[in-house]
Amino acid sequence: MCERHGCNHLPDFEAIRMDRRKFLKTTAAAGAITMAVGPGMFGSAAWAADSTIKSTHGTGFCNLNIFLSHAVQTAKEDGLTLEFVNTPTFAEQVTFLGIGQVDVGLMPYTSFMALYDAGAPVKVVAGGGIEGCVIVARPGLDSAEKLKGKTLATFQLDTLEVMPYDWLKKHGVSFKDVNVRYMGSTPEAVEAFKAGAVDWICTIEPYGTALVNDVPGAVMLSDGTDIYGKGYTDCVLAARSSLIDENRDGLKALIKGMMKAQLMAESDPAGTLEKLVGTYYKTSMENAKIAMAKQPAVVDARPQTDFILDRTDSLVEMGYIKNKPDRNAIDWGPLEEVIAENPDLYGKLKYKAA
């Protein structure tokens, strides 16, 4: 697996390290720009029967369905081409959606909420991956109390920052009682942990399992299920409101294509990884198999609606957003229409709401 953030090309890791004020300033500007973007940029005139949807993406296994949809063009028979717009930094991945340079984006739900709070006309329309986030500490650091004054390696405004915040809070320790080091990439964070430069880390699989195996005495403090329950959401598919309103059929074709990809991944995991490892995932096949098993990509995220919205409480407490987004931040309408129109496809999926 490659970096937590970025694209298929090597991003500028230093540019990813943003302080909170800079990120909020950037997203606020994105919201203002978006309001000035009229429908001519991505309006109905630009969408024909055979249309193209542009998307940004991350790099984790929560992106598997959209990666496979791109690799195989699963929506082609429904008249849609999926086009990726690679961004050099995580900040641009988020702001590209906000300013209308892309139509959709696969991103951590925490990043979406900050963008939504900044005023960008975007909504969550489908799921990305579930579970797969882990907290690992160096030998002897086997409780939240022992982490006071210790250094955490994580990523800013990410689910991997909110999870340790929530975990510490559950165990009666303030996030202010630990030192936080924001990393440029997952490999950088992993190497820092191995070298003893940081004391604990919130990362994604397969890195969590690998660290426990590679660092004698390392402790896995949480896989997220102890605080969030089974099937918790990591990333989501977000879309601009104009896409939902003006090219609903195109969005539905994308969601259906991602469902096809999910079925392909569940039915033939080895064949799926053959298509993705090397091009979309810069990792070994062995690590890819571990990650795929521990972070399934799931399109139907409806059962996680309350979870996604409840996590905004933490974002408010952490100072990333000012207002708690309500149910209007999420629109499952196109997803539910795809499910109703494709009962056979939906019925074959392993991970689904019903």
Side-chain angles (χ1 to χ4, degrees):
M1 186 186 299
C2 49
E3 298 82 346
R4 170 65 175 180
H5 300 306
C7 56
N8 296 335
H9 307 297
L10 289 175
D12 181 354
F13 296 142
E14 290 300 320
I16 295 176
R17 292 196 185 93
M18 304 173 297
D19 60 55
R20 298 182 184 187
R21 184 170 298 177
K22 180 179 178 182
F23 184 88
L24 290 174
K25 181 178 179 181
T26 302
T27 50
I33 294 173
T34 320
M35 301 306 292
V37 174
M41 184 172 184
F42 284 106
S44 56
W47 282 310
D50 293 322
S51 60
T52 297
I53 283 181
K54 296 182 179 181
S55 176
T56 57
H57 57 81
T59 57
F61 268 72
C62 56
N63 290 263
L64 187 145
N65 287 336
I66 201 165
F67 280 165
L68 190 57
S69 294
H70 181 261
V72 185
Q73 289 298 324
T74 52
K76 197 71 175 179
E77 66 178 8
D78 289 313
L80 178 74
T81 298
L82 175 61
E83 178 182 325
F84 279 165
V85 176
N86 291 328
T87 57
T89 69
F90 171 52
E92 289 175 312
Q93 175 194 335
V94 176
T95 55
F96 266 36
L97 178 64
I99 65 176
Q101 291 297 306
V102 297
D103 311 300
V104 299
L106 204 298
M107 63 185 65
Y109 64 83
T110 49
S111 305
F112 165 83
M113 289 301 178
L115 189 59
Y116 182 85
D117 181 64
V122 292
K123 292 182 182 293
V124 171
V125 294
I130 62 172
E131 301 186 16
C133 302
V134 293
I135 299 174
V136 180
R138 294 194 61 77
L141 301 178
D142 56 2
S143 70
E145 190 69 23
K146 292 180 180 180
L147 295 177
K148 289 183 177 180
K150 303 300 182 181
T151 300
L152 164 71
T154 187
F155 300 93
Q156 197 150 30
L157 195 57
D158 195 294
T159 52
L160 298 183
E161 183 183 14
V162 175
M163 181 170 151
Y165 176 90
D166 289 341
W167 187 82
L168 287 174
K169 183 177 180 180
K170 178 182 179 181
H171 292 281
V173 175
S174 171
F175 203 56
K176 294 180 181 179
D177 291 335
V178 303
N179 300 316
V180 181
R181 179 176 169 185
Y182 296 114
M183 311 303 294
S185 70
T186 295
E188 178 187 348
V190 168
E191 289 307 313
F193 182 86
K194 288 182 178 180
V198 297
D199 303 297
W200 58 304
I201 183 173
C202 190
T203 187
I204 48 176
E205 292 290 9
Y207 294 107
T209 297
L211 286 176
V212 172
N213 293 335
D214 295 344
V215 179
V219 183
M220 184 173 288
L221 296 174
S222 174
D223 65 358
T225 59
D226 55 322
I227 51 176
Y228 297 147
K230 290 288 187 181
Y232 66 87
T233 291
D234 177 26
C235 294
V236 295
L237 180 69
R240 287 181 59 80
S241 298
S242 58
L243 181 69
I244 301 172
D245 296 336
E246 299 164 16
N247 190 16
R248 196 176 188 86
D249 288 343
L251 176 58
K252 287 168 60 177
L254 173 60
I255 294 172
K256 179 182 175 182
M258 290 176 65
M259 281 188 185
K260 290 181 180 178
Q262 180 180 331
L263 181 58
M264 292 170 63
E266 292 173 351
S267 304
D268 183 15
T272 295
L273 292 180
E274 288 289 345
K275 294 180 176 67
L276 301 180
V277 173
T279 302
Y280 297 85
Y281 293 121
K282 309 298 184 183
T283 188
S284 68
M285 187 63 70
E286 180 180 358
N287 278 346
K289 289 178 180 177
I290 295 173
M292 187 179 188
K294 294 196 173 186
Q295 190 180 47
V298 181
V299 178
D300 186 2
R302 291 177 298 168
Q304 292 297 305
T305 301
D306 290 340
F307 171 82
I308 294 170
L309 294 177
D310 287 347
R311 297 286 70 69
T312 60
D313 291 339
S314 298
L315 291 176
V316 172
E317 293 170 7
M318 297 172 79
Y320 281 126
I321 63 176
K322 295 181 179 179
N323 304 301
K324 178 178 170 61
D326 58 21
R327 185 62 177 75
N328 289 325
I330 301 175
D331 185 355
W332 299 133
L335 170 67
E336 291 176 336
E337 290 170 22
V338 171
I339 292 171
E341 293 164 6
N342 300 274
D344 291 341
L345 170 61
Y346 185 71
K348 293 176 183 177
L349 298 178
K350 177 181 178 181
Y351 291 98
K352 54 183 181 291

